[in-house]
Amino acid sequence: MAVAHSGYAAVVLGVLGYRPDDLASRAPAAELYGRAQAWLACHDPHSVPDPVSAPPITWTPHPEAARVYAGNPPAFRRTFAAFTTTSRDPHSDDWVCWDLLAWPHQLTHQGLLYGSREEFLAGTVPFIRDGLECGDWIRVVTTERTAGWLRAALGADARQVRFDECSQWYRHPARALGALHRAVRKVSVDGQRLRMIGEPLGAAHTGPEGRERVRLESLVNAALASANASLVCVYDTRVVDPEVLAQVARTHPELVADGGARPSPNYTDSATFNAEFDNSPLPRPPSSALRLRFHRVADLATLRAFIASYATWAGVPAQSVGQFVQAVDEVATNAIEHGGGSGVLCLWTDAQRMSCEVKDTGAGLRDPLAGHLPPPAGRASLRGLWLARQFCDLVEVRSDPAGTTVRLHLTLA
């Protein structure tokens, strides 16, 4: 039983948030069991099996991992999904569950729906105070009203929290994801965990922009899955559109209610969620749209001049003209190099924005996250869609085996 206690202690300490170098605990197994039950009561409906009463788990001593045999119920493996990952041992066909020594960072992403000041504070103040005790780097990106509620509730502790206004942070979904990625990396350099409360106020709006902000919440789960971060996204049910609220449970693995978190029964993995979003066809360009066909790299100079002239005529500021031209050039280059060798460009304006569509006849995109995070160092060939998303106010992509359509939008003043 000592072996069972040793392995069990390592995993339970992982649940309770101990540092990796503290996993070798001296605490009695009974104490660990009780603490784990209390912790999981707020995070998962499944209970921890008693290590003393012949559990369906056999722990084996290992400096970095605990072995879980295949007979263990899948529900128990899901209990530890927030801080471990499981894989099949090719030699023994057993499940191997690696603890925090091997996987030091795991993202937690929670959604909180509130309809009053009291509901908001009940779900956010304990989150912040727990972060202060753990030495986390805490950031609050909300409205001025909810930030005021937090400052009043935290008192002097509010000085240890960075507050930002959400209207700028969430205005541009692609840039918001990039900013979050940079914030996690910056904090991780100092060995800290980012703990952030965000209020996607822009999600109160429907239409293409609103859909992309909803998509952002799903992309976070895949793009930052290994990030050393805890995120709570808050939604005011009195303001946010009901259609958007219905998606919160699908885009957040956990929901916060009554001061505690629990798994979302409607959570949908990022690949499936984004595939559903991309199934909706884009509206046809207007009949008045200008069209230009391009076949080779040499055509791109003509394309760039065409876009720059049109954008200037439409009244786009000079700096934005240059960025929009570069964004279209990146997408058109992708069409030539990876999308069948040619493409068709359509360009038009309406009362609110200038739009440009690039359509190719390639085999389609394989990566559903293409362009949502900066490419790895040395992979400049993957930066096209990333730059396009940074330089435009909205980028819509539809891709299938018959080709890829990229629609870029720029808001007119």
Side-chain angles (χ1 to χ4, degrees), residues 202-211 241 243-244:
H205 305 291
T206 56
E209 291 83 359
R211 287 195 296 271
D241 187 273
E243 181 181 343
V244 174

Side-chain angles (χ1 to χ4, degrees), residues 1-246:
M1 195 59 65
V3 170
H5 288 178
S6 176
Y8 185 77
V11 175
V12 171
L13 282 174
V15 175
L16 298 174
Y18 283 63
R19 296 180 303 174
D21 57 353
D22 288 336
L23 287 178
S25 173
R26 304 294 192 276
E31 177 186 341
L32 293 172
Y33 175 54
R35 293 166 69 186
Q37 282 189 313
W39 190 93
L40 289 171
C42 299
H43 293 78
D44 194 280
H46 306 292
S47 62
V48 179
D50 188 341
V52 181
S53 59
I57 300 175
T58 302
W59 303 106
T60 60
H62 192 286
E64 294 181 352
R67 187 181 300 277
V68 184
Y69 286 94
N72 187 51
F76 182 77
R77 290 198 296 273
R78 287 197 297 272
T79 299
F80 294 98
F83 66 98
T84 64
T85 185
T86 56
S87 59
R88 187 79 74 170
D89 186 326
H91 301 293
S92 62
D93 205 38
D94 292 337
W95 285 96
V96 177
C97 192
W98 299 96
D99 63 21
L100 293 181
L101 286 173
W103 300 91
H105 306 318
Q106 290 290 336
L107 172 75
T108 62
H109 186 204
Q110 302 170 341
L112 166 63
L113 304 182
Y114 73 92
S116 66
R117 177 178 181 272
E118 291 71 25
E119 289 179 340
F120 174 82
L121 294 177
T124 55
V125 172
F127 177 77
I128 292 176
R129 293 204 181 280
D130 184 56
L132 292 175
E133 291 181 6
C134 295
D136 295 342
W137 198 85
I138 302 173
R139 187 167 190 168
V140 173
V141 184
T142 62
T143 64
E144 291 186 7
R145 181 186 64 167
T146 49
W149 293 348
L150 281 174
R151 285 192 175 96
L154 293 171
D157 287 339
R159 291 195 293 268
Q160 302 179 59
V161 178
R162 172 171 174 175
F163 289 88
D164 292 294
E165 218 283 324
C166 64
S167 61
Q168 290 302 313
W169 179 277
Y170 289 104
R171 177 179 177 271
H172 192 294
R175 293 174 193 160
L177 186 58
L180 181 57
H181 182 257
R182 290 191 297 272
V184 170
R185 294 186 62 183
K186 180 179 179 181
V187 172
S188 297
V189 169
D190 297 325
Q192 288 182 288
R193 183 175 181 83
L194 173 67
R195 188 174 291 238
M196 176 172 158
I197 295 172
E199 189 163 12
L201 189 61
H205 305 291
T206 56
E209 291 83 359
R211 287 195 296 271
E212 289 303 310
R213 291 181 175 92
V214 171
R215 185 199 296 266
L216 166 66
E217 294 301 318
S218 177
L219 289 170
V220 165
N221 302 309
L224 299 177
S226 298
N228 191 15
S230 294
L231 312 176
V232 173
C233 302
V234 297
Y235 297 83
D236 189 339
T237 56
R238 300 163 297 183
V239 175
V240 179
D241 187 273
E243 181 181 343
V244 174
L245 292 177

Side-chain angles (χ1 to χ4, degrees), residues 380-403:
S381 61
L382 301 178
R383 71 174 188 168
L385 266 179
W386 162 254
L387 286 177
R389 293 185 189 279
Q390 301 307 302
F391 289 159
C392 301
D393 292 319
L394 175 66
V395 174
E396 300 174 283
V397 179
R398 299 293 185 271
S399 187
D400 57 41

